[in-house]
DNA sequence: GGACACATGTAACGGGTTACATGATTTC
DNA sequence: GAAATCATGTAACCCGTTACATGTGTCC
């Protein structure tokens, strides 16, 4: 029995309530997509493995002539999930893959306007995240969210995601602004701005250990 | 010819200067690891493909009896890199994989103390990032960095990475603090704090479009 | 003489992605 | 009756990972 984090993600959702994989795929797309993204084909494949291990059960149902399969967690599944939630399989740190940052890193090899374009594109890409956050946030504010009773922890997830999107957006905005100023600045001015970043961050007061 | 982003990452580094893969693997570990992480075996495999396409050249050298292979970019490689840097293959948005956040999401299924433990672990995991940032930042501040002349753009990368690490650390700290207060609070107080998050973020003044 | 850094890989595996396929049901 | 949604997959591929293997050079 070889479970991946994907397995636990699905198993965890099944612990909330039974789902068809169609509904669950949608649920995951709107809820965990931005920090745990998986292809739909994966979402459909996983519960079969869980059933094979006895961690989930499948029940075939009919809507007229159309078949649908409801998956639910079993007692064994709940125990396995508890084990995982209790650790001690250490959770890995945040794992970021950010192609635009690679482009910034390599941008001295290209033309300056491409750097600005990359940064603008970062901001465009983030709108999806802001919209998703708006939808989720709105539902909780209005008290109509499907898992309203999870509001304490969902607000933590929301907090992180919105903070992240704001950070990325702010960073892209100030970096693009910097790059646009370059043609009108002296090299000394450009350098001074760069060095200020290295000396202001991280806030020396923050350092622990 | 089917190049991945990994191909361009390596090709881009070869455009900076020729490298042995041993040195390049180290370079990438300290520079791009936190937003573009690849296994070393991958770093060794990639340039062979680039040589196959004529985008890089290999030259065998000797240190006594020990062989080393220096890879360098070719003219064709430089053209291909230019094409990529100029777009228009759109760069994907930031792609985050954050298992701890999934655990927070599912934490109502477990015990509250495990939530706090997860959050504390996030902070531990970040120390590596802070240390790496310190090293890089220190080198640029002292003017001794290998690519000191890239300071304008490297400061942007540094800016993002440090901001991200600070954000994640601050978030984990305030979330853990919240969870620790729960036992002493009324349900109304807990809810009020959660709802405040939804209404304060995102800053309504920020909304564009 | 031993430990560690230098230097370069190979083999096996697998989780995950993309693209495609299929048919029923509801909605307009 | 067409279009969108519901619902569930399969097939092929491949990028990337883990784990291991091998030998030289250098430092103490």
């Amino acid at each position: 029995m070889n479970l991946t984090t994907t397995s636990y993600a699905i198993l965890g959702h099944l612990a909330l309530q039974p789902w068809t994989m169609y509904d669950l795929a949608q649920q995951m797309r709107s809820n965990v997509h931005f920090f745990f993204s998986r292809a739909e084909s994966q979402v459909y494949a996983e519960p079969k493995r869980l059933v094979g291990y006895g961690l989930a059960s499948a029940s075939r149902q009919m809507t007229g002539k159309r078949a649908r399969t409801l998956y639910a967690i079993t007692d064994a599944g709940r125990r396995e999930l508890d084990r995982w939630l209790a650790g001690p399989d250490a959770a890995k740190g945040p794992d970021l893959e950010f192609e635009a940052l690679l482009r910034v890193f390599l941008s001295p090899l290209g033309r300056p306007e491409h750097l600005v374009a990359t940064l603008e594109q970062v901001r465009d890409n983030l709108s999806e995240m802001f919209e998703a956050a708006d939808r989720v946030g709105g539902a909780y504010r209005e008290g109509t969210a499907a898992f309203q009773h999870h509001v304490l922890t969902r607000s933590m997830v929301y907090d992180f995601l919105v903070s992240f999107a704001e950070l990325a957006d702010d960073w892209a905005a100030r970096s693009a602004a910097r790059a646009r100023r370059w043609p009108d600045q002296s090299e000394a001015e450009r350098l001074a701005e760069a060095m200020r970043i290295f000396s202001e961050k991280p806030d020396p007061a923050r350092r622990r250990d």
Side-chain angles (χ1 to χ4, degrees), chain A:
Chain A
M1 187 162 80
N2 208 340
L3 300 180
T4 65
T5 307
T6 306
S7 312
Y8 291 108
I10 306 270
L11 194 59
H13 277 85
L14 293 182
L16 300 175
Q17 65 168 66
W19 301 88
T20 68
M21 285 308 111
Y22 182 82
D23 288 336
L24 185 50
Q26 291 202 105
Q27 182 72 10
M28 291 183 72
R29 196 171 344 126
S30 69
N31 279 327
V32 303
H33 174 251
F34 291 103
F35 57 90
F36 196 79
S37 168
R38 292 293 179 272
E40 292 201 1
S41 65
Q42 202 66 13
V43 178
Y44 278 98
E46 196 57 46
K48 316 216 152 203
R49 305 182 57 225
L50 295 177
V51 170
Y53 294 139
L55 305 177
S57 66
S59 71
R60 200 140 196 99
Q61 313 206 313
M62 284 295 162
T63 312
K65 266 188 173 178
R66 183 167 57 192
R68 39 186 269 135
T69 311
L70 256 190
Y71 291 94
I73 195 168
T74 62
D75 287 342
R78 226 170 264 278
R79 279 196 302 276
E80 180 60 29
L81 183 62
D82 280 352
R83 230 194 31 70
W84 183 73
L85 281 171
D89 338 289
K92 280 179 254 349
D95 190 354
L96 190 64
E97 177 116 2
F98 199 178
E99 190 189 314
L101 212 48
L102 179 66
R103 282 172 185 266
V104 173
F105 189 86
L106 297 175
S107 62
L109 299 166
R111 325 242 353 250
E113 61 265 33
H114 295 143
L115 168 61
V116 175
T118 296
L119 262 6
E120 291 300 345
Q121 219 207 307
V122 168
R123 305 194 68 192
D124 282 352
N125 290 152
L126 287 168
S127 60
E128 214 185 319
M129 224 171 149
F130 280 116
E131 283 156 26
D134 266 0
R135 276 196 303 277
V136 172
Y140 278 98
R141 268 193 299 272
E142 292 161 24
T144 61
F147 293 92
Q148 191 75 31
H149 56 295
H150 284 184
V151 67
L152 297 188
T153 49
R154 299 277 171 121
S155 64
M156 286 180 180
V157 175
Y158 177 88
D159 182 9
F160 181 88
L161 256 20
V162 171
S163 302
F164 176 76
E166 287 180 341
L167 153 70
D169 194 51
D170 290 344
W171 168 81
R174 70 175 172 264
S175 299
R178 257 183 81 195
R180 268 193 276 259
R181 278 197 301 275
W182 285 345
D184 304 320
Q185 286 177 313
S186 69
E187 181 67 8
E189 285 172 318
R190 290 192 283 262
L191 283 175
E193 275 195 46
M195 295 313 284
R196 198 163 58 236
I197 289 177
F198 287 115
S199 39
E200 278 174 4
K201 286 170 153 311
D203 172 8
R206 123 184 327 267
R207 306 306 302 147
R208 44 210 166 110
D209 65 16

